[in-house]
């Protein structure tokens, strides 16, 4: 191999590596979780589906903040409500429907 071809190969590998790092950048998600009637849900669980250890809960006003990769799937759940899965975006306005199964 010539020095030029080694440099081109190394540059190609470095470029691919940089693209992979850039695509895994976290964003700060801000959102609110409410019932269908507009009341906030206190203590709803908000987690990144691919990494369930990356999560938070909604506060007294239903608000939450979470760091997650852009484009990841966010799972929102609360006891007695249907779980929702939404793509990570800002702002996240989540309405949970009551679970009718008894």
């Amino acid at each position: 191999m010539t020095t030029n071809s080694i440099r081109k190969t190394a540059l190609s590998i470095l470029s691919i590596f940089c693209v992979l790092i850039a695509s895994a950048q976290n964003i700060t998600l801000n959102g609110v979780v409410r019932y269908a009637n507009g009341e906030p849900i206190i203590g709803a669980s908000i987690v990144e589906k691919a990494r369930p250890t990356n999560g938070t809960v909604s506060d007294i006003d239903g608000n939450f903040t979470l760091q997650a990769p852009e484009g990841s799937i966010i799972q929102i759940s609360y006891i007695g409500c249907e779980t929702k899965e939404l793509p990570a975006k800002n702002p996240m306005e989540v309405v949970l429907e009551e679970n009718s199964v008894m």
Side-chain angles (χ1 to χ4, degrees), residues 32-41 61-62 93-97:
V32 62
V33 184
R34 301 184 193 281
Y35 289 107
N37 66 5
E39 289 193 34
I41 297 179
D61 297 316
E93 300 277 335
V94 182
V95 175
L96 294 183
E97 302 291 330

Side-chain angles (χ1 to χ4, degrees), residues 6-22:
I6 293 172
R7 285 184 184 159
K8 286 180 182 178
T9 302
L11 185 58
S12 295
I13 292 170
L14 182 60
S15 296
I16 291 169
F17 183 69
C18 289
V19 168
L20 291 175
I21 289 174

Side-chain angles (χ1 to χ4, degrees), residues 2 64 100:
T2 66
F64 68 90
S100 60

Side-chain angles (χ1 to χ4, degrees), residues 38-82:
E39 289 193 34
I41 297 179
I42 303 167
S45 174
I46 300 98
V47 298
E48 180 186 345
K49 186 174 180 179
R51 293 185 312 163
T53 57
N54 181 29
T56 189
V57 295
S58 57
D59 68 12
I60 194 165
D61 297 316
N63 297 314
F64 68 90
T65 301
L66 178 67
Q67 295 281 328
E70 190 170 11
S72 61
I73 299 298
I74 306 301
Q75 197 170 48
I76 305 96
S77 61
Y78 188 71
I79 296 171
C81 293
E82 296 288 332

